[in-house]
Amino acid sequence: MTIVTAPPLPVEESDPRAYLRDGSVAVLRVSRPADQNALRRFFHELSPGSRQSRFFSLAEPAETLIDAFCDSSDPTRQATVVAVRLEDEGLRPVAVGSYLDLGNGVAEAAFAVADAVQGRGLGTILLQRLAKLAAANGFRRFNAIVLCENTAMLDVFRASGFQIGSKTQHGVVTVALALGPPDARPARNIAPPVGRYFENPMLFALLIVCVLVPGSTWAQSFAPPGWSDGLKLNEPADLNPDPRIVEVNLTARLADVEIAPGKRVHAWTYNGGLPGPLIKTRVGDRLIVHFTNELKDPTTVHWHGVRVPIEMDGVPGVSQEEVKQGDSFTYDFVVRDAGLYWYHPHVMSAAQVGFGLYGALLVEDPDDGVGVADQVTIVLSDIGFDAKGRLEPAESGGSAGMVFGREGAYVLANGRTKPVLRARPGAPQRWRIVNASKSRYFYLDLEGQAMTVIGGDGGLQERAVTTDILLITAGERADVIVSPKGKSGTPLMLRAMLYNRGYGSVEYRSVEEVLTIEFTKEAPVTKTAPVTVGRAIPRLSAAGATPVNIELTLPPMEHFKSEFRVNGVPFWKAKPYLAKLGETQLWIVRNDTDWDHPFHLHGFFFQVVNEKGEPVGPLAWKDTVNVPMKTTARFLVKFDERPGEWMFHCHILDHADGGLMGTVLVGPVSPSTHVHTKKQ
């Protein structure tokens, strides 16, 4: 058995060609662009003798690696997969494995795993896929030796029908699976002794090295195959080969979209889908989005919550011009903060978001320490249309509709009504949720079961908190761990309960079913690690902070029209508020209206505080905070960088269009010369 290792040498002293053998697959993750390019050149120069050798990035899905390994695993010869992680001190093995036909109808594999790919247990996936590969090639038994660092991995093997053999003090264990009917010959040992594998000193050394690799993380997947297919989001193709650059095309266009069997709507979409594609990056990546507008109306793309340069903020007349039909604009910035964000227009926002223009941006941190393998992004929204699939007019209800905040009749999760999520009872899942509705609040209830909130708008919060009902206002995000409990044949419902955000939000309304969880027949997961994830967040101090008083009002109607006001004026009459570069301000937002307002600030995170200026726990970075009717919210914000004119507004987008919007001018720059157009 050929075991390929990556010695801990600087890349300049290591030739990747030395690591490869016939039929091998190499997977590398590097942290420095120069190293990435050097390694890529090495692989391009490989001789034809290394058959099927391929280059991958660990940013790719785990399934890509597994498919490549299995595709190259010809039963007549051995195949090797190598994954290495390049750190500042050199190359280190992450996962190494070989698949070999030993004859006598037995297939054997050996591999070591000291890292996770996309949060999933690479060793477990390899083992299961290789067993299927062996069965497909007529083998009767499959034996394997695995570096197994915790008992949860063994539990998964047992649940898959494997017999567990002896285990060494280093965590090396043998497992075996009968693939077909026994033959007439005497049975050989199903779980061979571990010692026979250490006849190869290189393998033994590799396994020990993998045990000792620092910083390795591993999370066990409990989910059944296809568990989240009902919530699957489209992802755009990455056009850039550099693993630290994500480059995609995004097009606004009309498309017929099916939200339920027999229910279709002629929606405004990004790339033809509802919602738009899920854009996935890692923290620190550069994101390039080539945006094209094929709609008749002008539009832009705003990156909600992302700390972008002012030129990339997507506000017409402030940070860019409107993108007219047939025109394009390239958004180019570095994603500096891990978390779930989203994108939507900032031209006639209530109408365009309500018609379907929104999507999620997930910025992942491989080292966030959450340790839950099964993850799904959930985009909550709603939409209104008639029996012929024609969108509900944006001005429905007139001025009263604007004041109430219009909500669509169809509640959607990832563009579908009541999609199905499959789960093993008691198994943890990580839900990253964004409320992309233009007005609707989601007051989520999982039939009273616990939801552990680990983060929100600006990524992980200071500590986790557990609740049995979760409010996510328009524009907000929540990072939640759930362990749904139930039994096969009895679905569990996630519902949106009634929440009073003002007149019109609960009257003549009913509880909405958001999604259904269906359970497998597997035994419940009863032992999981407690959720202790969190992060240290530096506290902003109210001492010396400049107070900024904001009052939100709704005067009586004039000329049969209503308009919201900020400090006595609607946004089309307002002047910018001022902030010095580096200044910390205490915003005191008083809501004197009879409706809630989710208050959103562009470009900067803030910390919510109480009337004493003390943080409201758990400490978290926010970009949107709900200001309930007739109450006051306070937050501290430091305008530490990126001068420019930044928007703030209510994220009930009808309210924003109706006057609840303004700007803050940060730094030594002049106000924009744009003119706000009053909604007619």
Side-chain angles (χ1 to χ4, degrees):
M1 211 177 271
T2 301
I3 301 298
V4 181
T5 61
L9 298 173
V11 65
E12 293 80 5
E13 302 175 22
S14 303
D15 187 342
R17 287 171 291 191
Y19 304 151
L20 298 179
R21 302 293 183 269
D22 288 350
S24 62
V25 180
V27 183
L28 300 111
R29 178 172 65 198
V30 301
S31 57
R32 296 174 295 187
D35 296 331
Q36 171 71 42
N37 294 333
L39 286 168
R40 189 175 294 278
R41 286 195 297 271
F42 276 130
F43 276 89
H44 285 173
E45 295 169 1
L46 287 172
S47 67
S50 294
R51 299 191 307 266
Q52 299 184 25
S53 296
R54 298 168 64 185
F55 181 90
F56 293 91
S57 164
L58 280 183
E60 299 188 54
E63 287 75 8
T64 302
L65 166 63
I66 309 306
D67 288 341
F69 179 77
C70 293
D71 289 347
S72 66
S73 295
D74 186 335
T76 63
R77 60 180 175 83
Q78 70 179 44
T80 305
V81 58
V82 182
V84 296
R85 178 175 58 197
L86 180 63
E87 299 177 345
D88 288 341
E89 66 271 21
L91 290 164
R92 286 184 166 177
V94 175
V96 179
S98 276
Y99 177 74
L100 183 65
D101 173 13
L102 290 185
N104 298 321
V106 177
E108 295 203 348
F111 50 89
V113 178
D115 201 2
V117 179
Q118 293 286 321
R120 301 188 65 183
L122 178 57
T124 305
I125 304 171
L126 268 175
L127 190 68
Q128 294 169 337
R129 288 290 299 274
L130 288 177
K132 292 180 181 179
L133 182 69
N137 284 285
F139 292 103
R140 295 177 291 102
R141 293 196 184 105
F142 175 75
N143 297 335
I145 175 173
V146 186
L147 174 69
C148 189
E149 297 185 273
N150 56 48
T151 57
M153 194 172 185
L154 295 180
D155 291 339
V156 174
F157 293 159
R158 291 190 183 96
S160 301
F162 283 88
Q163 295 185 13
I164 309 300
S166 55
K167 183 177 180 181
T168 74
Q169 61 178 335
H170 301 295
V172 179
V173 65
T174 56
V175 298
L177 179 67
L179 302 175
D183 62 355
R185 294 188 297 271
R188 61 182 287 169
N189 290 332
I190 290 183
V194 175
R196 61 167 293 199
Y197 290 98
F198 298 122
E199 296 171 1
N200 186 325
M202 186 175 289
L203 171 60
F204 178 77
L206 167 68
L207 294 174
I208 298 305
V209 167
C210 287
V211 170
L212 298 178
V213 171
S216 300
T217 59
W218 178 83
Q220 176 58 52
S221 172
F222 294 99
W227 70 283
S228 60
D229 286 354
L231 286 167
K232 185 175 179 60
L233 291 168
N234 293 325
E235 297 182 26
D238 184 358
L239 308 175
N240 199 304
D242 191 319
R244 299 316 308 268
I245 299 176
V246 176
E247 186 171 3
V248 301
N249 291 326
L250 191 68
T251 302
R253 61 184 175 90
L254 297 175
D256 284 318
V257 180
E258 187 175 67
I259 64 167
K263 290 286 186 182
R264 303 188 69 86
V265 56
H266 195 56
W268 296 26
T269 73
Y270 290 119
N271 291 8
L274 184 67
L278 171 62
I279 301 174
K280 297 173 70 173
T281 71
R282 289 180 299 167
V283 64
D285 283 355
R286 177 184 175 191
L287 176 61
I288 304 172
V289 179
H290 302 291
F291 174 67
T292 302
N293 181 21
E294 295 182 359
L295 301 168
K296 291 182 179 179
D297 294 69
T299 189
T300 61
V301 181
H302 165 60
W303 305 93
H304 183 118
V306 185
R307 293 194 295 160
V308 296
I310 187 63
E311 297 81 7
M312 299 290 111
D313 197 42
V315 179
V318 176
S319 58
Q320 70 169 95
E321 296 302 317
E322 295 177 337
V323 182
K324 295 180 172 59
Q325 183 181 24
D327 289 347
S328 299
F329 186 91
T330 295
Y331 296 91
D332 188 343
F333 51 87
V334 173
V335 286
R336 304 160 59 188
D337 306 287
L340 179 63
Y341 306 94
W342 64 298
Y343 56 93
H344 63 80
H346 230 284
V347 178
M348 304 299 288
S349 301
Q352 296 195 7
V353 171
F355 291 164
L357 287 179
Y358 50 85
L361 167 63
L362 179 59
V363 183
E364 297 182 293
D365 179 1
D367 301 317
D368 63 10
V370 174
V372 175
D374 303 318
Q375 306 182 24
V376 63
T377 299
I378 303 176
V379 181
L380 300 178
S381 61
D382 59 17
I383 196 167
F385 58 92
D386 64 17
K388 295 183 179 180
R390 295 174 300 197
L391 289 163
E392 183 178 281
E395 301 295 333
S396 64
S399 192
M402 181 276 293
V403 171
F404 293 172
R406 301 171 180 92
E407 297 182 3
Y410 296 94
V411 172
L412 307 178
N414 290 3
R416 304 164 180 88
T417 60
K418 293 182 281 190
V420 174
L421 196 65
R422 301 183 65 234
R424 179 178 173 182
Q429 297 179 356
R430 184 180 184 182
W431 295 357
R432 289 170 165 175
I433 309 171
V434 54
N435 181 354
S437 303
K438 66 175 182 178
S439 298
R440 184 184 294 269
Y441 284 21
F442 281 89
Y443 200 31
L444 299 177
D445 170 58
L446 192 60
E447 296 191 17
Q449 296 195 21
M451 295 175 279
T452 300
V453 182
I454 62 173
D457 294 350
L460 295 179
Q461 59 197 33
E462 186 179 38
R463 55 180 171 81
V465 294
T466 299
T467 182
D468 59 5
I469 195 162
L470 176 64
L471 177 65
I472 308 178
T473 70
E476 282 190 305
R477 284 86 69 209
D479 196 345
V480 183
I481 296 175
V482 298
S483 299
K485 297 175 176 59
K487 60 181 180 180
S488 177
T490 304
L492 179 68
M493 298 300 303
L494 178 69
R495 295 184 173 91
M497 310 304 288
L498 294 177
Y499 177 85
N500 183 14
R501 61 171 182 82
Y503 184 78
S505 59
V506 295
E507 291 79 7
Y508 311 107
R509 299 297 183 97
S510 59
V511 172
E512 300 284 355
E513 294 181 347
V514 178
L515 61 84
T516 302
I517 299 176
E518 294 182 351
F519 293 102
T520 67
K521 295 182 179 179
E522 297 173 277
V525 176
T526 57
K527 293 182 179 180
T528 57
V531 178
T532 58
V533 66
R535 66 166 171 164
I537 297 178
R539 296 190 176 191
L540 298 178
S541 174
T546 304
V548 176
N549 290 289
I550 302 289
E551 185 176 32
L552 313 179
T553 58
L554 179 66
M557 295 180 66
E558 296 181 2
H559 308 294
F560 304 102
K561 288 186 178 294
S562 296
E563 65 179 28
F564 284 100
R565 296 177 180 177
V566 179
N567 287 353
V569 294
F571 75 86
W572 49 84
K573 296 180 180 179
K575 295 181 179 180
Y577 294 80
L578 302 178
K580 298 176 183 178
L581 203 61
E583 181 180 18
T584 298
Q585 294 187 346
L586 172 63
W587 285 44
I588 305 163
V589 184
R590 181 172 178 266
N591 179 6
D592 194 39
T593 76
D594 292 320
W595 284 266
D596 285 17
H597 301 296
F599 192 94
H600 172 55
L601 174 65
H602 285 211
F604 296 88
F605 292 129
F606 54 77
Q607 294 177 5
V608 180
V609 297
N610 60 23
E611 62 277 4
K612 297 180 180 179
E614 300 167 339
V616 175
L619 189 60
W621 289 116
K622 297 283 293 176
D623 58 59
T624 306
V625 61
N626 191 44
V627 188
M629 61 188 83
K630 302 297 184 181
T631 64
T632 299
R634 297 169 176 83
F635 61 81
L636 288 166
V637 55
K638 185 173 183 179
F639 295 103
D640 53 349
E641 56 176 0
R642 292 169 297 118
E645 191 172 355
W646 298 91
M647 301 294 296
F648 64 84
H649 58 89
C650 174
H651 226 284
I652 294 177
L653 295 175
D654 284 313
H655 291 178
D657 285 352
L660 281 190
M661 195 177 337
T663 63
V664 55
L665 188 63
V666 178
V669 294
S670 300
S672 65
T673 57
H674 71 285
V675 177
H676 292 297
T677 302
K678 180 177 179 180
K679 277 184 66 68
Q680 302 298 319

